[in-house]
């Protein structure tokens, strides 16, 4: 488990003073994947460097399994870093070393014997599904394979925390999906706390249990993915789902936006809504999916001549939130910021 | 008239050109001298230049031991070594050379100024090669628990090796050139032969022989250097193993 307590990073002094990270507080439990999203310049890379102790925080602390790592001397720090495995963006491999030699790096730095290293490297490469690529150089591997080597390397010293710094950025969707699946598998098998820093909202949806949005060095919103998606007022929840255009309602109908707010929404809510209102309800656009086994959904419907208060009450009884307009915070804008 | 003709066409007593048959005996020992001189110099240059280049690189902003004052000082010293034309450097440090070697002529004396010029040159080459290594790799090494020396060895020097070897080739060739300049102050070697026989005695045959030998030497050094660069770069090494058609395909991808 890793926790940040009031983590603050300030660069410069006086007029030049810039607060890059402003009193961040969150923790990632063992077996949890916590995503941090935010636009470029929000402080994501500084956060990553503070977490893997490459940068010292100005104040506040980073705790791994309850132990404060931010007050250590340079030499102790080198040892402490080994508890946190870091996966870098895909260019983090040494070009003159084979996949196996890259995975062996942390063991080599630690001074592990050659025989032990060989065994551990073979085991790690097997775990990420690259046993047959041990002798390949980075340029002979695909982006996804390179990232798998990076993951194997990050796991070499059996860390309890895995930090993924834009690990899937620049990968094609298929590779991203396979890396995400691998991370989830490792999380389950090894009980890792994974801090997943990214700017890609759709990857967050695939990988994370919880998410926090970082903006101008502060966490502006955070929560469990499913809860955010079920909260129609949540800006982050809206940013997480792609903004799709929908059909417009007939001239005599009113447009309503409906979101699932609970797990107990009946699958035939549309018919039930129409029955109980005694009117026609037309479906203009919808997306219903399961995230981590929980159903979430959003729909635009056109309703002819129904009493608004009655409609809201009926929707509520079905586990739905209904409103006549999209909440003010434009999801498209957040997406754009995030990209 | 006939006497004059006879004098002009007959063997000239004043002509002391080296007979063609004797040229190898003159030129090859001189080449050996040059190789020894350049060899010793390059050994010193590599032993001093690599640590010095790594130090200058890591004292710079963003380096492992960031220290602007020390970086500026070292950088200035290197720049001074780089900015003096070799002939002037050589003349300027004669007292220093004599202090170290006890002489100011011969191979030993030439090694001192050549090493100084070579170290300054190579320090910059190493620094420049290290700058070409992606900074992520240093972060990777740090995050993997590497000590500063391990970082320099594995993340910086090892990754920059092909580029450093390329620079070393250029440096070696420059040193061969410097050895010829050092020849003018009696350092021996092929440059000395070229100056005393080719230039001062107008012996064009010797001059031509030294030129051929210098061109061949420089070409061989370049060839070996290029080969080593290719051997140390996995990308080109694996590409060279592919048949030509596959290589063309790979370059299209």
């Amino acid at each position: 488990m890793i926790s940040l307590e009031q983590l603050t990073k300030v660069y410069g002094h006086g007029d030049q003073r810039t607060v890059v990270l402003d009193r961040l507080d969150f923790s990632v439990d063992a077996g949890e994947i916590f995503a941090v999203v935010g636009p470029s310049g929000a402080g994501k890379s500084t956060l990553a460097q503070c977490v893997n102790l490459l940068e010292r925080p100005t104040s506040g602390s980073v705790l791994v399994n309850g132990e404060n790592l931010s007050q250590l001397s340079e030499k102790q720090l080198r040892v402490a870093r080994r508890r946190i495995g870091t996966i870098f963006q895909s260019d983090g491999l040494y070009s003159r070393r084979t996949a196996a030699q890259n995975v062996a790096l942390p063991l080599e730095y630690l001074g592990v014997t050659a025989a032990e290293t060989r065994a551990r490297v073979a085991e790690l490469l097997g775990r990420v599904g690259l046993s047959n690529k041990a002798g390949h150089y980075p340029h002979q591997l695909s982006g996804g394979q390179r990232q798998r080597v990076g993951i194997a390397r990050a796991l070499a010293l059996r860390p309890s925390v895995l930090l993924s710094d834009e690990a899937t950025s620049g990968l094609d969707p298929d590779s991203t999906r396979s890396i995400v699946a691998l991370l989830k598998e490792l999380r389950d098998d090894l009980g890792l706390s994974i801090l997943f820093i990214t700017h890609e909202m759709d990857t967050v949806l695939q990988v994370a249990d919880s998410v926090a949005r970082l903006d101008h060095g502060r966490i502006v919103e955070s929560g469990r993915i499913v809860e955010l998606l079920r909260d129609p007022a949540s800006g982050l929840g809206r940013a997480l789902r792609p903004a799709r255009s929908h059909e417009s309602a007939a001239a005599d109908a009113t447009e309503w936006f409906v979101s699932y707010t609970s797990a107990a929404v009946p699958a035939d809510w549309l018919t039930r809504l129409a029955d109980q209102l005694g009117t026609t309800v037309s479906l203009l656009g919808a997306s219903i999916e399961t995230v981590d086994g929980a159903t979430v959904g959003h729909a635009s419907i056109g309703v002819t001549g129904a009493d608004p208060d009655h409609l809201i009450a009926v929707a509520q009884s079905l586990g739905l939130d209904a409103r006549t307009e999209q909440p003010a915070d434009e999801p498209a804008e957040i997406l754009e910021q995030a990209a | 008239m006939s006497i004059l003709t006879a004098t002009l066409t007959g063997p000239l007593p004043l002509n002391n050109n080296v007979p063609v048959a004797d040229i190898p005996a003159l030129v090859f020992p001189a080449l050996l001298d040059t190789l020894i001189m350049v060899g010793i110099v390059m050994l010193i240059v590599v032993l001093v230049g690599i640590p010095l280049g790594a130090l200058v690189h890591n004292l710079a902003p963003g380096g492992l031991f960031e220290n602007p004052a020390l970086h500026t000082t070292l950088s200035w010293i290197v720049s001074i070594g780089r900015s003096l034309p070799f002939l002037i450097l050589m003349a300027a440090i004669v007292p220093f050379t004599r202090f170290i070697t006890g002489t100011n002529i011969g191979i030993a004396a030439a090694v001192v100024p050549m090493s100084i010029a070579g170290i300054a040159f190579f320090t910059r080459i190493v620094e420049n090669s290290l700058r070409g290594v992606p900074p992520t790799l240093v972060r990777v090494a740090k995050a993997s628990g590497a000590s500063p020396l391990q970082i320099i060895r594995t993340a910086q020097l090892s990754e920059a090796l092909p580029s450093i070897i390329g620079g070393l080739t250029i440096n070696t060739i420059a040193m061969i050139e410097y050895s010829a300049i050092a020849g003018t102050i009696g350092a021996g070697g092929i440059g000395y032969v070229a100056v005393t026989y080719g230039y001062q005695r107008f012996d064009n045959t010797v001059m031509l022989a030294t030129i051929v030998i210098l061109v061949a030497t420089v070409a061989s050094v370049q060839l070996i250097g290029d080969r080593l660069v290719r051997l140390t770069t996995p990308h080109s090494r694996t590409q060279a193993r592919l048949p030509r058609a596959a290589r063309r395909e790979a370059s299209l991808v």
Side-chain angles (χ1 to χ4, degrees), chain A residues 6-11 17-18 21 50 55-60:
Chain A
Q6 296 286 302
L7 187 81
T8 303
K9 181 71 187 179
V10 179
Y11 286 114
R17 210 179 113 98
T18 343
L21 297 176
C50 281
E55 284 273 1
R56 271 178 198 280
T58 312
S59 66

Side-chain angles (χ1 to χ4, degrees), chain A residues 82 94-96 109 137 139, chain B residues 145 154 158-159 232 237-238:
Chain A
R82 296 180 170 144
Y94 289 25
S95 65
R96 296 189 56 243
Y109 292 148
Y137 285 93
H139 75 269
Chain B
T154 59
S158 169
E159 282 296 304
T232 49
R237 191 174 55 208
T238 46

Side-chain angles (χ1 to χ4, degrees), chain B residues 118-165:
Chain B
I119 287 168
F121 193 166
F122 195 51
T123 300
R124 285 281 181 247
I125 284 178
V126 170
E127 191 192 0
N128 193 54
S129 298
L130 293 182
R131 218 177 283 147
V133 174
T136 324
L137 297 188
V138 171
R139 286 206 292 276
V140 166
K142 276 189 184 171
S144 305
S147 69
L149 270 182
Q150 285 174 324
I151 296 175
I152 293 175
R153 193 168 49 79
T154 59
Q156 296 184 337
L157 291 175
S158 169
E159 282 296 304
L161 189 65
S163 163
I164 291 176
I165 292 177

Side-chain angles (χ1 to χ4, degrees), chain B residues 145-194:
Chain B
S147 69
L149 270 182
Q150 285 174 324
I151 296 175
I152 293 175
R153 193 168 49 79
T154 59
Q156 296 184 337
L157 291 175
S158 169
E159 282 296 304
L161 189 65
S163 163
I164 291 176
I165 292 177
L168 193 63
T169 311
I170 297 173
N171 204 331
T172 308
I173 289 168
M175 287 304 115
I176 292 172
E177 191 184 314
Y178 285 8
S179 81
I181 301 175
T184 59
I185 59 154
I190 206 85
Y192 175 74
V193 171

Side-chain angles (χ1 to χ4, degrees), chain A residues 37-102:
Chain A
V37 292
S40 36
K44 293 195 305 288
S45 28
T46 309
L47 172 63
Q49 297 203 21
C50 281
V51 167
N52 66 12
L53 311 170
L54 293 183
E55 284 273 1
R56 271 178 198 280
T58 312
S59 66
S61 29
V62 177
L63 294 97
V64 171
N65 297 330
E67 195 193 340
N68 193 342
L69 301 184
S70 29
Q71 309 299 328
L72 301 175
S73 72
E74 195 55 44
K75 198 155 184 183
Q76 290 170 313
L77 212 57
R78 210 183 301 148
V79 179
R81 275 188 199 124
R82 296 180 170 144
R83 302 217 213 141
I84 300 168
T86 307
I87 314 165
F88 292 85
Q89 210 169 338
S90 52
D91 55 358
L93 298 186
Y94 289 25
S95 65
R96 296 189 56 243
R97 286 170 169 250
T98 61
Q101 287 168 339
N102 264 289

